Amino acid sequence: MKKSLVLAMAMALGVTASAYAANPFSDVPAGHWAYDSISKLAAAGVIEGYGDDTFRGDRLMTRYEMAQIVARAMAKGANVDKLAAEFADELEKLNVRVAALEKKSDNVRITGEIRYHYKHQKNTNNGGREKYSENGLRSRLYFTGKVNDNWNYVGRIQNQQWFHKADEPIVNNKGDEETHFNIAKLEGRLGGVKVIAGRDDDVFANGYIYDGEHDAIKLSYGDKWYVSGGYGKLTDLNDDIPNSAKDFWTAEIGSNIEGSFVNGKVGYLRNKLGTAGEEQFNGDDNVGIWYVGADFNVAKDLVFNAMYLRSNRDKFAEIADDGTATPYESKKDGYVFGLGYKGAEASEPGSWGLTARYYNQGRGTYLAHTIDGETGFMTGFKGWSIGGDVTVAKNMVASVTYYDTKALKGEQENDAKAKVIWSEFNVFF
């Protein structure tokens, strides 16, 4: 934090002194743009220099030094609730009492994001309409409440508005909307263990197995090298098909070493199925999936990633409206390869990135896939995607991705395929 910014903050405190106060700092000449402000603040006792009578205004300021300025302003009776809350820990080390109201003035933080998306899909022999499109607006508000120094509560309210919704077998133009309170969790640490408990929205195996909401308790230990695990229920599966999922558990070990040429992970997820899930998965009551993946920093700003997945399932059934079942077979294996170059950063206008991926996954290797392309082939799917994103202004990111996927060979018609263009514009606040 530069002292020029500190001066602006200090002046906002309403501290005044004689306009003709003498300047005590030898490195601030009378013609300097901040001469009057520095003189007034020094005379009021809000700022102090160094032992050699210098101010050193170009030097970056530490949080501890800023806390000293806040403490002196408080002593002068200035209203500095937000600054006192921000520097509460440093002020306590200075033995400055901060009222409970001041400490809690920023106790609940609200952030959010708005996403507009447009999707166009073309099917070939996939049991649906040949062409259709949809677009909608999704708004999310996140509430983060500080419980104590180690724990936070996080909640999320989500509203989805449909301007043009792909709703089989017709297109719905009614402008339907729905609102859900779909994240409610406690997160914090017990010793060295990170804990998340409640309803969360997260991915497993980079989203190649599951991407969505779940009620669970998840534990993670370690930073550069970590081990993690979780137990709960994959609630998004039950939203799509009631009583399709019961309990799941997962475990993973891996590395996250900044600057390393390669980071990897190995994990397992097992999901116990409900009645509807058992019917779809040919009468068995569970799906178990192993996976191993790695990210390689092959060049500056260029990452190659790969993941292999192995399921315990190769037989499935499609249940018709009349209750009849059509059996399908699929391979137990799956793999995904990807390239990523740079990437749009919401805080950096003009930043951009490109991605490309190839998918080949048997039906038993995914439950709710992360991609916005078509994966609902009973024999599994293969295909590719290419996309890009760009930050058009601070906290405003636009992206577009093209997906070309088709069914793996099996009893389902071999030429069943789908092409999808997915575009979105995100605003973060």
Side-chain angles (χ1 to χ4, degrees):
M1 182 181 299
K2 284 200 171 185
K3 287 191 175 178
S4 58
L5 176 60
V6 173
L7 288 176
M9 294 173 128
M11 291 300 294
L13 303 178
V15 178
T16 60
S18 169
Y20 303 101
N23 174 28
F25 305 121
S26 62
D27 59 344
V28 184
H32 193 277
W33 66 269
Y35 179 87
D36 288 343
S37 297
I38 292 173
S39 298
K40 293 176 184 179
L41 293 169
V46 176
I47 60 174
E48 295 179 355
Y50 294 87
D52 57 358
D53 294 329
T54 60
F55 180 62
R56 302 181 193 177
D58 292 330
R59 176 182 172 275
L60 290 176
M61 177 171 284
T62 67
R63 287 181 61 88
Y64 183 80
E65 289 171 328
M66 182 61 194
Q68 290 179 311
I69 291 177
V70 174
R72 295 185 196 112
M74 291 174 66
K76 299 292 181 181
N79 183 7
V80 290
D81 286 358
K82 289 187 177 294
L83 285 173
E86 171 65 25
F87 295 95
D89 292 340
E90 288 82 5
L91 289 170
E92 287 184 0
K93 291 177 182 177
L94 292 170
N95 294 319
V96 177
R97 185 186 67 81
V98 181
L101 180 60
E102 293 170 341
K103 287 178 127 181
K104 288 181 176 291
S105 63
D106 286 334
N107 196 50
V108 178
R109 182 166 55 95
I110 301 175
T111 56
E113 59 187 66
I114 301 172
R115 184 195 75 180
Y116 170 81
H117 86 273
Y118 172 80
K119 175 183 180 180
H120 179 78
Q121 180 161 338
K122 179 179 179 180
N123 294 329
T124 302
N125 293 336
N126 192 27
R129 285 168 289 127
E130 182 181 354
K131 294 181 181 179
Y132 69 88
S133 62
E134 68 176 36
N135 64 94
L137 186 69
R138 185 186 71 189
S139 302
R140 288 174 166 177
L141 288 177
Y142 296 84
F143 302 85
T144 303
K146 186 177 179 64
V147 178
N148 54 45
D149 290 341
N150 294 318
W151 287 86
N152 290 322
Y153 169 82
V154 179
R156 184 179 77 186
I157 297 176
Q158 175 176 302
N159 174 265
Q160 178 69 62
Q161 295 176 302
W162 293 103
F163 304 133
H164 185 175
K165 183 179 180 183
D167 190 10
E168 295 287 359
I170 62 173
V171 175
N172 181 352
N173 286 306
K174 296 180 180 179
D176 290 345
E177 64 90 23
E178 53 187 8
T179 301
H180 298 288
F181 188 67
N182 54 13
I183 285 184
K185 63 179 180 179
L186 280 171
E187 56 182 19
R189 290 187 176 274
L190 291 176
V193 179
K194 181 180 179 180
V195 182
I196 298 176
R199 174 158 293 192
D200 199 6
D201 188 353
D202 202 358
V203 299
F204 297 100
N206 296 351
Y208 302 144
I209 294 179
Y210 185 84
D211 179 355
E213 296 159 21
H214 49 279
D215 296 320
I217 180 168
K218 298 179 290 186
L219 309 175
S220 180
Y221 179 79
D223 185 14
K224 293 182 178 180
W225 296 92
Y226 68 88
V227 57
S228 63
Y231 173 80
K233 182 178 291 185
L234 303 177
T235 50
D236 264 0
L237 295 183
N238 287 332
D239 289 342
D240 292 339
I241 303 176
N243 196 31
S244 61
K246 292 185 178 178
D247 300 339
F248 85 95
W249 64 268
T250 185
E252 181 179 291
I253 59 173
S255 64
N256 185 26
I257 304 172
E258 186 176 355
S260 174
F261 171 69
V262 60
N263 283 299
K265 63 181 68 174
V266 178
Y268 180 74
L269 183 143
R270 189 175 187 88
N271 181 44
K272 187 174 179 61
L273 301 169
T275 303
E278 289 183 33
E279 292 176 351
Q280 184 178 4
F281 283 82
N282 205 40
D284 289 340
D285 68 350
N286 69 81
V287 176
I289 307 169
W290 288 96
Y291 60 92
V292 56
D295 297 328
F296 301 88
N297 295 298
V298 296
K300 183 181 179 181
D301 298 324
L302 182 64
V303 177
F304 171 75
N305 46 61
M307 179 167 287
Y308 172 78
L309 306 101
R310 175 76 176 182
S311 174
N312 66 341
R313 305 305 312 280
D314 60 0
K315 291 182 172 59
F316 308 91
E318 184 176 29
I319 311 300
D321 292 338
D322 61 4
T324 59
T326 302
Y328 290 101
E329 292 186 0
S330 180
K331 66 176 188 175
K332 293 184 177 181
D333 300 304
Y335 47 88
V336 182
F337 300 112
L339 276 175
Y341 180 69
K342 292 187 175 180
E345 298 288 343
S347 60
E348 299 180 14
S351 61
W352 58 276
L354 297 172
T355 58
R357 285 187 172 81
Y358 176 77
Y359 313 88
N360 191 314
Q361 292 187 242
R363 185 62 186 88
T365 64
Y366 60 96
L367 299 171
H369 209 286
T370 192
I371 69 173
D372 296 301
E374 181 61 57
T375 64
F377 307 101
M378 288 306 301
T379 57
F381 79 103
K382 64 179 179 180
W384 56 275
S385 68
I386 185 169
D389 55 4
V390 60
T391 302
V392 297
K394 186 175 182 179
N395 296 327
M396 296 182 176
V397 181
S399 65
V400 61
T401 306
Y402 175 78
Y403 299 93
D404 190 329
T405 58
K406 62 180 180 179
L408 294 178
K409 291 183 178 180
E411 294 185 29
Q412 189 173 13
E413 294 183 59
N414 294 333
D415 59 351
K417 60 183 66 175
K419 298 179 180 181
V420 174
I421 297 176
W422 177 276
S423 59
E424 60 183 58
F425 183 71
N426 288 277
V427 177
F428 305 93
F429 58 92

